[in-house]
Amino acid sequence: MTILLKQYGEVLFMAKQEIPIALLRPGMHVVGIDVSWIDSPFLRHSFKIQDPQDVQKLIDSGVRIVTIERDKSDILPEAVEAEEPSEDRPQETSVLDATTENATETTVEENVEEHLASEEEKNQAVNSQPESSMDTSRTVTSAQAFDQPPETSSTQAGSQVDGKPSTAAPTDLKAELSFARKLHGEAKALCSRVFEQLNNGQAVDVEVVSELVEQTAESLARNNQAIFSFLHMQRKDEGLYDHAFSVFSLVLAMGQALGVSKDEQETLGFAALVHDVGWLKLPLHLLGKGKTYTDAERNLVTKHPLLSVRMIEGGEGVTDQIKSLVGLHHECLDGSGYPTGKVMQDNLLWSILVVADRYDELVHQLLDCSGMIPKSALRELYKDAQDGKIDVRVVQSLITLMGVYPISSALQLKSGEKAIVTECHRSAPAQPSIRIFYDGKGNLLPKTEDVDLSALEEDHPRMVAKAIDWRKPGVDPAQVLNLTEADLR
């Protein structure tokens, strides 16, 4: 709503103002548009118009009304209205009236039965969750500075922010992928700049991630599979930046599911983005070695959390809590982690970062063990939770978010065909949409086939037989069962 007070024709106060697109000029600061930001050509929700081409881009996207922030604008609508008509003024194109979509509450699906600890033949039984034998009653206590991470007060489960269910309007995967692609590129560019500054000894302000946190959280609330798709793609280079983005996205997704506040989301987001910056001070060939470290190598690797803390110290807004999260992200509840090896007290924000980091390391072979398929990584985390190393509630949250067969999973069907998961369905978690690459005899198909398993009968021969590891010899001779960006177009 425009706040406008006038006296004798003069504007006395107006914080924000809605104006027709025809009055938009370079120098005006835009904070709102009348179409979905997914359809906008701009990644940011708040930006200053730089030139007439920016205005034309908005017009071409169907924007008719924009909201500007007057205090941040170099030129105001009154001045434009007083102008003579100009041939340079962007012309508004005719568009259909925008339809306002009613926001609908979205909630995270109930925990997947057995949490993937069962064998493959149990994967159809996912409609209810049995009682867990794991102890979920660990005492959550506050801790001081760097010895233990400070406690968070948010403990509610579900897709929430500040304890309230998300009301983001869901979008289909194809629509959200376009926006997620922009976010992925923007996040990697930001990560590169931040890492370079920190490596050069320059301080970084926590607020540098604020906008990225907001937009990523919104995308996750609309359709988290779009961002999850980028998490599971094979990485050929820029592994550290991709890892940072993956952990960043995972902590925000789990934070939403577990009801952390907006301030806590920003804390988690910054900590996730910079948690491994200390690797820049170490031999990077050790990152993703995939083989057992020597004693000397392990001694080096275990130093990276503390190196990361030293590099971020002094930045505006870098609190003791952030330093704790970064410095302790490889510790465990039972004291089996590093660098301190201390028995940890359970803490929600710390547990979220630990689980997110561990999952991405397992899937993408970032330490001294071979990479795993997503389902095996989730099973490994479940076992760690049973063994008292990590928090069960956070692991359960991640399993629920990922589903029975996470997007990108390679599958063998009962027909013998082989495929990858291109989309998961909450209503039928064991029957995803897939892309088939191999026929039942193991021959590569001349043309892939897309199938929605949720539309088939449960006894159909194309139901899932098991998840497979495309890395194993003979499983994927043509090396096509690893998800690429082309598979998502």
Side-chain angles (χ1 to χ4, degrees), residues 58-346:
L58 290 173
I59 292 174
D60 293 342
S61 298
V63 176
R64 301 180 70 188
I65 302 294
V66 299
T67 303
I68 65 167
E69 189 160 349
R70 293 175 61 89
D71 290 345
K72 294 183 179 180
S73 296
D74 300 330
I75 183 172
L76 298 176
E78 310 84 275
V80 177
E81 289 176 323
E83 292 178 356
E84 292 295 327
S86 170
E87 295 181 359
D88 295 332
R89 180 175 299 181
Q91 298 300 308
E92 181 178 358
T93 59
S94 176
V95 296
L96 296 175
D97 290 340
T99 299
T100 302
E101 298 180 356
N102 292 326
T104 59
E105 292 188 357
T106 60
T107 58
V108 177
E109 178 195 358
E110 292 183 355
N111 288 340
V112 178
E113 185 180 27
E114 300 295 317
H115 299 293
L116 303 184
S118 62
E119 297 301 319
E120 295 288 348
E121 62 266 21
K122 295 181 182 178
N123 64 45
Q124 297 293 335
V126 293
N127 295 321
S128 62
Q129 179 186 329
E131 293 184 5
S132 172
S133 60
M134 291 187 289
D135 177 16
T136 61
S137 60
R138 295 189 184 100
T139 302
V140 182
T141 59
S142 298
Q144 296 180 347
F146 193 72
D147 290 333
Q148 295 285 347
E151 177 57 287
T152 172
S153 60
S154 301
T155 58
Q156 292 180 310
S159 183
Q160 309 173 39
V161 177
D162 288 328
K164 300 177 182 178
S166 169
T167 56
T171 57
D172 63 42
L173 180 58
K174 186 176 181 180
E176 194 63 36
L177 274 171
S178 177
F179 189 77
R181 195 171 287 113
K182 290 182 183 180
L183 278 177
H184 182 241
E186 182 80 4
K188 287 180 65 175
L190 174 64
C191 197
S192 176
R193 294 194 299 271
V194 168
F195 275 36
E196 182 178 3
Q197 289 177 322
L198 292 172
N199 198 33
N200 291 333
Q202 299 173 348
V204 172
D205 192 329
V206 171
E207 289 190 359
V208 72
V209 304
S210 297
E211 191 168 348
L212 187 63
V213 167
E214 178 185 354
Q215 294 180 60
T216 303
E218 290 176 359
S219 178
L220 288 165
R222 289 190 298 264
N223 191 328
N224 58 27
Q225 290 187 70
I227 285 180
F228 287 173
S229 301
F230 289 91
L231 270 55
H232 291 121
M233 287 182 185
Q234 189 177 19
R235 299 169 186 171
K236 296 181 179 180
D237 54 15
E238 297 183 331
L240 203 55
Y241 301 151
D242 281 315
H243 175 60
F245 174 72
S246 291
V247 177
F248 173 83
S249 301
L250 285 170
V251 298
L252 293 182
M254 286 188 284
Q256 283 183 346
L258 293 166
V260 306
S261 69
K262 289 183 178 179
D263 287 343
E264 289 168 335
Q265 280 191 351
E266 188 162 316
T267 294
L268 267 175
F270 184 81
L273 206 67
V274 302
H275 75 283
D276 271 347
V277 69
W279 269 101
L280 296 180
K281 303 297 185 184
L282 300 174
L284 282 178
H285 73 275
L286 297 179
L287 183 66
K289 180 182 178 183
K291 298 179 181 178
T292 303
Y293 290 133
T294 66
D295 290 343
E297 288 173 338
R298 183 168 297 281
N299 184 51
L300 281 174
V301 168
T302 57
K303 295 181 184 300
H304 82 265
L306 297 182
L307 290 172
S308 296
V309 172
R310 290 172 188 166
M311 293 171 73
I312 66 173
E313 281 181 325
E316 185 70 27
V318 178
T319 61
D320 285 342
Q321 184 180 38
I322 290 175
K323 288 185 284 187
S324 295
L325 291 171
V326 170
L328 301 172
H329 72 269
H330 278 293
E331 300 288 359
C332 295
L333 290 170
D334 64 354
S336 61
Y338 66 84
T340 69
K342 292 181 179 180
V343 174
M344 301 296 293
Q345 292 175 316
D346 199 357

Side-chain angles (χ1 to χ4, degrees), residues 254-476:
M254 286 188 284
Q256 283 183 346
L258 293 166
V260 306
S261 69
K262 289 183 178 179
D263 287 343
E264 289 168 335
Q265 280 191 351
E266 188 162 316
T267 294
L268 267 175
F270 184 81
L273 206 67
V274 302
H275 75 283
D276 271 347
V277 69
W279 269 101
L280 296 180
K281 303 297 185 184
L282 300 174
L284 282 178
H285 73 275
L286 297 179
L287 183 66
K289 180 182 178 183
K291 298 179 181 178
T292 303
Y293 290 133
T294 66
D295 290 343
E297 288 173 338
R298 183 168 297 281
N299 184 51
L300 281 174
V301 168
T302 57
K303 295 181 184 300
H304 82 265
L306 297 182
L307 290 172
S308 296
V309 172
R310 290 172 188 166
M311 293 171 73
I312 66 173
E313 281 181 325
E316 185 70 27
V318 178
T319 61
D320 285 342
Q321 184 180 38
I322 290 175
K323 288 185 284 187
S324 295
L325 291 171
V326 170
L328 301 172
H329 72 269
H330 278 293
E331 300 288 359
C332 295
L333 290 170
D334 64 354
S336 61
Y338 66 84
T340 69
K342 292 181 179 180
V343 174
M344 301 296 293
Q345 292 175 316
D346 199 357
N347 166 273
L348 184 56
L349 296 193
W350 168 74
S351 292
I352 288 173
L353 181 57
V354 168
V355 171
D357 179 58
R358 180 67 174 152
Y359 175 77
D360 197 65
E361 287 177 347
L362 290 172
V363 171
H364 290 288
Q365 186 182 303
L366 293 181
L367 293 176
D368 60 344
C369 60
S370 299
M372 297 182 180
I373 61 175
K375 189 168 185 178
S376 295
L378 292 174
R379 187 170 284 139
E380 182 75 12
L381 290 173
Y382 184 85
K383 182 179 181 298
D384 284 346
Q386 286 182 313
D387 292 341
K389 295 179 182 294
I390 52 180
D391 188 345
V392 56
R393 59 188 166 158
V394 178
V395 174
Q396 289 173 336
S397 171
L398 179 61
I399 291 172
T400 300
L401 286 167
M402 291 298 169
V404 178
Y405 301 114
I407 195 164
S408 85
S409 296
L411 305 176
Q412 182 170 316
L413 310 183
K414 291 180 179 179
S415 62
E417 296 167 298
K418 297 176 184 177
I420 60 172
V421 176
T422 56
E423 186 170 4
C424 304
H425 306 298
R426 286 186 177 179
S427 59
Q431 297 169 261
S433 291
I434 60 173
R435 179 160 296 163
I436 301 175
F437 287 86
Y438 291 94
D439 66 19
K441 296 181 179 180
N443 300 313
L444 186 67
L445 296 174
K447 184 178 180 180
T448 60
E449 182 180 356
D450 292 340
V451 179
D452 181 357
L453 297 184
S454 67
L456 305 180
E457 297 295 330
E458 291 188 1
D459 59 353
H460 196 282
R462 277 184 164 173
M463 287 298 105
V464 178
K466 61 181 179 179
I468 55 177
D469 189 345
W470 59 269
R471 299 179 184 90
K472 291 184 177 179
V475 172
D476 181 20

